[in-house]
């Protein structure tokens, strides 16, 4: 590992013996004799902050375990709004033999940016994305092709309920039971893909800090979140309790043995998506990691997981939100150095105030080819993304993976598309 900048100055030069005498050359460092001056003997030295850790390594395991205490899972439930002036519809009697229906849901990742607020991807809580998810799950379909008909733009915004949870086995978890959080503000996927949620009545959580500088090309990063595949493969999933209505989705996930996962890669490009700056990373993303943080080796947040390419469809295009835009959205001071890679600003301060930002992961359209087999008959197409995992790739996947055979037709999915 190379050492540069201020860190290099702290490393004493090696002792070089003279080729003639075998003694150290004049001016060379020695291990004996007069000791170097202490911090208390040099005026002002004690006030100097230690040099930050180098950024040319991946995050270590102890720091990663510490960061996971700040990670939360988010389940957003979308429902039709209640019109107080509409006539009360008489519900048709439900066939006792019919399979239970799950509500339209999406799963995302979030994290504490302050002791009482959570950041996630904007598309995770965007009513436009929720309406699209509802349309894909329960909307009318073309009888000839089986594909959903175009979405009616005149439909009202759906009602949104956002639950936050942390797995029971997560060390240091603050959310000991799922709670409903308030959406303070958000930006759509086209406008930055960020959201801020408020938490009340809980002990203060451990926040993550945002990096003061933008990442540099080739720098190692780690992305954290709840991958969709982990959800369906984790022990302790109480599907019966979920389908019976005895447990909410957030309860089911918290009671499972689900844990946040991390993937590592490097910063490979700075791109623009519909005029908004993003950073492209080589770390693997999965549905459900939307809103999770991507951090440097010091555990500072560079951005939020925002978009992914479905792996079997061409080149990797996984992106996180821009560092400076994230700080601006959260109302933090943006230092001038934050617009430049840290390599160009070696004297910049490494620490920053706690905060974080939101972004998204992906979407995949799943076609179910086994009509008449329980729940699958109600969902010929499932949008698995739209705020992490619109339960086609998450909770719905648990049901569809039973006796139902499904084929997946997926391409690149982008926030707000």
């Amino acid at each position: 590992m190379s050492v540069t900048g201020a860190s290099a100055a702290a490393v004493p030069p090696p002792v070089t013996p003279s080729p003639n005498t075998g003694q150290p050359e004049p001016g060379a460092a020695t291990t004996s004799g007069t000791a170097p001056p202490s911090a208390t003997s040099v005026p002002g030295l004690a006030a100097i902050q230690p040099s930050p850790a180098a950024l040319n390594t991946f995050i270590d395991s102890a720091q990663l375990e510490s960061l996971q205490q700040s990670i939360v899972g988010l389940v957003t439930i979308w429902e039709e709004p209640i019109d107080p002036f509409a006539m009360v519809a008489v519900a048709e009697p439900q066939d006792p033999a019919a399979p239970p229906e799950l509500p339209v849901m999406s799963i995302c990742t979030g994290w504490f940016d302050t002791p009482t607020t959570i950041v996630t991807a904007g598309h995770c809580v965007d009513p436009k994305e929720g309406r699209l998810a509802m349309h894909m799950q329960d909307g009318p379909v073309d009888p000839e092709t089986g594909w959903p008909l175009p979405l009616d733009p005149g439909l009202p915004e759906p009602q949104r309920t956002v639950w936050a949870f942390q797995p029971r086995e997560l060390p240091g978890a603050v959310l000991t039971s799922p709670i409903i959080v308030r959406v303070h503000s958000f930006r759509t996927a086209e406008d930055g893909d960020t959201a801020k949620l408020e938490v009340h009545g809980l002990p203060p959580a451990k926040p993550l800090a945002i990096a003061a500088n933008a990442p540099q090309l080739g720098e190692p990063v780690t992305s954290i979140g709840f991958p969709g595949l982990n959800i369906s493969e984790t022990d302790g999933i109480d599907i019966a309790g979920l389908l019976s209505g005895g447990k909410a989705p957030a309860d089911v996930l918290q009671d499972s043995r689900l844990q946040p996962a991390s993937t590592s890669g490097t910063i490979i490009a700075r791109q623009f998506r519909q005029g908004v700056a993003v950073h492209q990373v080589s770390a693997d993303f999965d549905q459900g990691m939307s809103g999770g943080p991507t951090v440097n080796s010091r555990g500072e947040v560079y951005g939020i997981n925002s978009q992914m390419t479905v792996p079997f469809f061409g080149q990797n295009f996984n992106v996180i939100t821009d560092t400076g835009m994230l700080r601006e959205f959260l109302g933090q001071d943006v230092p001038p150095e934050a617009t430049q890679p840290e390599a160009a600003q070696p004297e910049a301060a490494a620490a920053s105030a706690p905060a974080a930002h939101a972004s998204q992961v992906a979407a995949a359209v799943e076609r179910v080819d086994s009509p008449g087999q329980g729940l699958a008959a109600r969902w010929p197409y499932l949008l698995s993304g739209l705020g992490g995992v619109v339960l086609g790739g998450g909770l719905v996947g648990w049901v569809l993976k039973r006796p139902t055979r499904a084929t997946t037709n997926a391409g690149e999915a982008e926030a707000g598309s």
Side-chain angles (χ1 to χ4, degrees):
M1 180 180 70
S2 61
V3 182
T4 59
S7 296
V11 180
V15 176
T16 306
S18 168
N20 298 324
T21 65
Q23 299 299 317
E25 292 280 7
T30 65
T31 57
S32 61
T34 304
S38 64
T40 57
S41 64
V42 179
L45 185 60
I48 299 177
Q49 296 294 329
S51 299
L55 288 174
N56 57 350
T57 60
F58 288 110
I59 193 169
D60 64 66
S61 59
Q63 191 168 37
L64 181 58
E65 289 182 3
S66 177
L67 292 178
Q68 288 186 337
Q69 299 176 16
S70 304
I71 305 301
V72 300
L74 300 172
V75 178
T76 304
I77 299 178
W78 303 100
E79 301 173 289
E80 290 292 349
I82 298 176
D83 185 353
F85 301 102
M87 301 207 36
V88 178
V90 179
E92 298 182 1
Q94 185 174 0
D95 183 0
E101 294 188 6
L102 293 174
V104 180
M105 297 174 279
S106 61
I107 298 178
C108 281
T109 301
W111 46 284
F112 286 101
D113 71 305
T114 75
T116 58
T117 56
I118 297 171
V119 174
T120 188
H123 72 268
C124 294
V125 297
D126 187 351
K128 179 184 65 175
E129 304 287 349
R131 172 55 67 185
L132 179 56
M134 296 176 68
H135 179 72
M136 296 297 293
Q137 178 170 312
D138 296 324
V141 299
D142 187 321
E144 295 184 1
T145 65
W147 284 95
L149 294 173
L151 178 64
D152 182 359
L155 292 174
E157 289 188 351
Q159 180 177 314
R160 173 188 61 203
T161 304
V162 184
W163 290 84
F165 72 93
Q166 288 182 299
R168 292 194 187 278
E169 294 189 0
L170 181 69
V174 172
L175 303 181
T176 56
S177 62
I179 62 168
I180 295 178
V181 296
R182 175 180 176 270
V183 179
H184 175 273
S185 57
F186 77 93
R187 289 178 179 174
T188 66
E190 298 87 354
D191 193 34
D193 202 17
T194 59
K196 192 177 186 72
L197 315 176
E198 293 180 342
V199 181
H200 299 284
L202 292 176
K206 175 184 176 182
L208 302 184
I210 296 180
N213 302 92
Q216 56 183 319
L217 291 179
E219 182 179 335
V221 291
T222 299
S223 302
I224 310 174
F226 291 97
L229 181 61
N230 283 15
I231 294 172
S232 60
E233 296 293 338
T234 301
D235 289 346
I237 301 298
D238 186 3
I239 298 178
L242 176 69
L243 294 179
S244 67
K247 287 187 175 182
D251 290 308
V252 172
L253 291 174
Q254 187 187 50
D255 291 339
S256 73
R257 309 197 75 172
L258 178 69
Q259 293 288 297
S262 61
T263 62
S264 296
T266 59
I267 300 291
I268 58 178
R270 187 170 188 262
Q271 309 283 8
F272 287 87
R273 185 177 62 183
Q274 301 190 36
V276 177
V278 295
H279 297 289
Q280 187 175 354
V281 300
S282 62
D284 291 331
F285 286 177
D286 190 13
Q287 301 150 359
M289 292 182 68
S290 290
T294 289
V295 301
N296 61 23
S297 61
R298 294 197 291 257
E300 301 163 337
V301 178
Y302 275 146
I304 300 305
N305 314 329
S306 179
Q307 177 189 346
M308 74 175 230
T309 302
V310 177
F312 48 83
F313 263 76
Q315 298 297 314
N316 176 308
F317 190 73
N318 299 339
V319 301
I320 64 174
T321 55
D322 178 68
T323 311
M325 185 271 294
L326 168 58
R327 297 180 65 96
E328 179 270 326
F329 172 76
L330 295 173
Q332 295 192 15
D333 293 334
V334 182
E337 307 86 41
T339 59
Q340 298 294 331
E342 185 161 328
Q345 302 290 339
E347 74 285 357
S352 67
H357 169 72
S359 75
Q360 154 176 347
V361 181
V365 179
E366 298 187 0
R367 178 175 180 177
V368 178
D369 293 330
S370 300
Q373 294 196 27
L375 191 61
R378 290 288 296 143
W379 290 321
Y381 297 94
L382 299 173
L383 191 62
S384 155
L386 290 180
V389 180
V390 174
L391 254 31
L395 298 177
V396 171
W398 306 340
V399 181
L400 297 183
K401 284 178 65 178
R402 296 185 296 172
T404 306
R405 180 175 61 87
T407 59
T408 304
N409 299 317
E412 177 177 341
E414 182 172 343
S417 59

